[in-house]
Amino acid sequence: MERQNKVWLHYVKNIIAADVSSAVFLASYLRYSEISQDYASFFEIIDLQHKKIITHPSKIHKIIKDEMKTPFMFVAGKN
């Protein structure tokens, strides 16, 4: 197996990829997820003030858009 040394390049909108086609694919996927609001299903909101974790995508989207100025609310990835 041959090793390839790849150079990671920094593109617009903080996209880091090894080649142009990968950067274009990632940019198009990010745009799709932003438009379709699919990203909310990958996150959860941790509300320390009310001691609960919010996992419902429509509530997450609403909180990210409107209520992120509320103290002790944090966005966390589900990984």
Side-chain angles (χ1 to χ4, degrees):
M1 184 161 72
E2 183 179 319
R3 272 191 182 204
Q4 294 181 352
N5 292 329
K6 295 192 179 207
V7 176
W8 293 88
L9 299 172
H10 188 234
Y11 295 95
V12 294
K13 295 188 178 185
N14 292 326
I15 294 176
I16 299 173
D19 56 7
V20 176
S21 62
S22 297
V24 169
F25 172 76
L26 182 57
S28 64
Y29 179 74
L30 289 173
R31 175 132 173 87
Y32 163 77
S33 67
E34 182 180 351
I35 290 171
S36 64
Q37 301 173 0
D38 282 343
Y39 63 88
S41 62
F42 301 117
F43 294 119
E44 57 191 10
I45 303 290
I46 300 171
D47 186 356
L48 295 179
Q49 202 166 26
H50 296 107
K51 298 179 184 154
K52 64 180 178 178
I53 297 176
I54 302 165
T55 57
H56 197 270
S58 64
K59 289 182 182 179
I60 290 172
H61 183 69
K62 180 184 178 295
I63 290 170
I64 289 174
K65 289 292 183 185
D66 301 332
E67 301 176 13
M68 281 312 294
K69 294 177 184 165
T70 307
F72 304 111
M73 291 185 81
F74 302 97
V75 179
K78 287 186 178 180
N79 299 11

